[in-house]
């Protein structure tokens, strides 16, 4: 009985330490006085101007990732890309997302473009070997394939 009691107390102690270590910190007060400006625009951050999309072919995107994945990620990951390519296949992944594979050299080398659900009807009308333009967010490389996210069919 005593061992159970000690085990319960030890478990609670471990839980308390874990909760304290991962808990949210209370908000800290700034030591700088508030700004004396009363302009409404001074209190609102201005949105960053939207960058124009980077235009690239699927073949070139694959080649850049094949040459140097680190450099390609720095150049394309998270940026808006306008990608031209030829469709190798139209599939769904394990989460039921639409994935268009663009040819990037030979039949076995592709760029994987995950299509936004809003374009499901457009994706249903696509055909293999069809030329396509996609507006996407640059992804990374998975198993030798460059990836594109949130793609919209143009």
């Amino acid at each position: 009985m005593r061992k159970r009691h000690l085990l319960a107390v030890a478990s609670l102690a471990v839980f308390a330490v874990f909760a304290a270590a991962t808990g949210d910190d209370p908000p800290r007060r700034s030591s700088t006085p508030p700004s004396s400006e009363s302009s409404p625009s001074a209190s609102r951050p201005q949105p960053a101007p939207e960058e124009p999309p980077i235009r690239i072919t699927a073949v070139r995107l694959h080649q850049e990732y094949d040459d140097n994945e680190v450099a390609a990620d720095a150049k394309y990951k998270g940026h808006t890309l306008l990608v031209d390519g030829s469709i190798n296949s139209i599939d769904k992944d394990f989460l039921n997302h639409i994935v268009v594979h663009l040819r990037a050299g030979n039949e076995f080398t592709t760029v994987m473009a995950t299509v936004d659900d809003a374009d499901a009807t457009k994706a249903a009308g696509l055909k293999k070997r069809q030329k396509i333009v996609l507006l996407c967010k640059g992804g990374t490389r998975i198993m030798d394939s460059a990836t594109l996210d949130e793609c919209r069919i143009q």
Side-chain angles (χ1 to χ4, degrees), residues 61-131:
L61 183 66
H62 173 76
Q63 186 61 52
E64 288 198 35
Y65 268 97
D66 194 47
D67 290 345
N68 185 333
E69 182 176 352
V70 175
D73 267 354
K75 192 172 180 182
Y76 301 116
K77 188 174 183 177
H79 294 278
T80 303
L81 307 178
L82 194 60
V83 182
D84 294 282
S86 177
I87 298 173
N88 190 59
S89 67
I90 307 104
D91 306 303
K92 287 196 170 188
D93 67 11
F94 68 98
L95 294 173
N96 211 34
H97 296 129
I98 301 163
V99 180
V100 174
H101 293 266
L102 303 174
R103 290 179 186 255
N106 63 45
E107 178 179 350
F108 305 105
T109 309
T110 64
V111 170
M112 296 186 316
T114 303
V115 176
D116 191 286
D117 289 339
D119 281 353
T121 303
K122 288 181 182 179
L126 297 175
K127 304 284 185 210
K128 286 183 176 184
R129 293 177 290 287
Q130 178 181 339
K131 300 286 184 196

Side-chain angles (χ1 to χ4, degrees), residues 9-25:
V9 170
S11 297
L12 284 174
V14 169
F15 177 77
V17 169
F18 179 77
T22 60
D24 292 331
D25 291 336

Side-chain angles (χ1 to χ4, degrees), residues 50-62 64 75-86 102 111 113 119 132-139 147-154:
E50 193 170 316
E51 66 182 47
I54 300 168
R55 196 154 189 146
I56 191 165
T57 66
V59 172
R60 179 74 183 153
L61 183 66
H62 173 76
E64 288 198 35
K75 192 172 180 182
Y76 301 116
K77 188 174 183 177
H79 294 278
T80 303
L81 307 178
L82 194 60
V83 182
D84 294 282
S86 177
L102 303 174
V111 170
D119 281 353
I132 191 170
V133 178
L134 299 170
L135 183 66
C136 308
K137 288 288 180 200
T147 63
L148 300 166
D149 302 316
E150 304 171 25
C151 296
R152 299 301 306 259
I153 300 169
Q154 300 300 292

